[in-house]
Amino acid sequence: MTLTGRLLPHRRRKDPAVDVGLQAERTAMAWQRTALGVGGVSALLLHLAAGRFPAAVAGLAGLSASLLLLLLSEQRYVRLVKKVAAGEPPPAPGLVRLLAAGVVILAVSALALLLLTDA
């Protein structure tokens, strides 16, 4: 069994997919890519902080948010597939707004660090 199979056992399908176009799975993978991107920028921000507390806090907050987003995206995928299988409507887009706000804050923090860094 592969590492992915052990970590994501519900992704292995024995039955035909409930989600005909696999939109839920593609969306989950997009959230995971977003979380990895936020994590990468946060790690770079933390690396460039060089002892400056505000930049380090922004980097740590971004890394924490990235990990949380990875976990939430997987939970959302499982929940959404169960809802689709039961014929229920998908959840509200509140998580999208929260993520957008977090990415904007991280981007502004990274831009401020780059502009204020002594060359």
Side-chain angles (χ1 to χ4, degrees):
M1 181 182 304
T2 66
L3 179 62
T4 305
R6 282 181 287 189
L7 294 176
L8 307 171
H10 53 275
R11 295 280 177 107
R12 291 177 284 148
R13 288 189 198 90
K14 296 177 184 118
D15 301 324
V18 175
D19 188 13
V20 177
L22 298 176
Q23 290 90 345
E25 187 166 356
R26 288 195 321 256
T27 302
M29 291 185 334
W31 280 105
Q32 290 168 355
R33 286 190 302 269
T34 301
L36 292 173
V38 169
V41 171
S42 299
L44 181 62
L45 185 62
L46 190 60
H47 176 72
L48 293 176
R52 289 184 301 249
F53 184 72
V57 168
L60 287 173
L63 283 174
S64 300
S66 175
L67 179 60
L68 180 65
L69 185 58
L70 279 172
L71 296 174
L72 289 176
S73 69
E74 197 59 35
Q75 288 177 351
R76 181 183 183 275
Y77 170 75
V78 172
R79 187 174 60 246
L80 189 61
V81 168
K82 287 179 183 177
K83 281 189 171 207
V84 169
E88 298 175 16
L95 186 59
V96 175
R97 290 185 190 109
L98 181 64
L99 175 67
V103 167
V104 168
I105 290 169
L106 180 63
V108 169
S109 299
L111 184 61
L113 179 66
L114 289 174
L115 293 175
L116 299 175
T117 300
D118 297 333

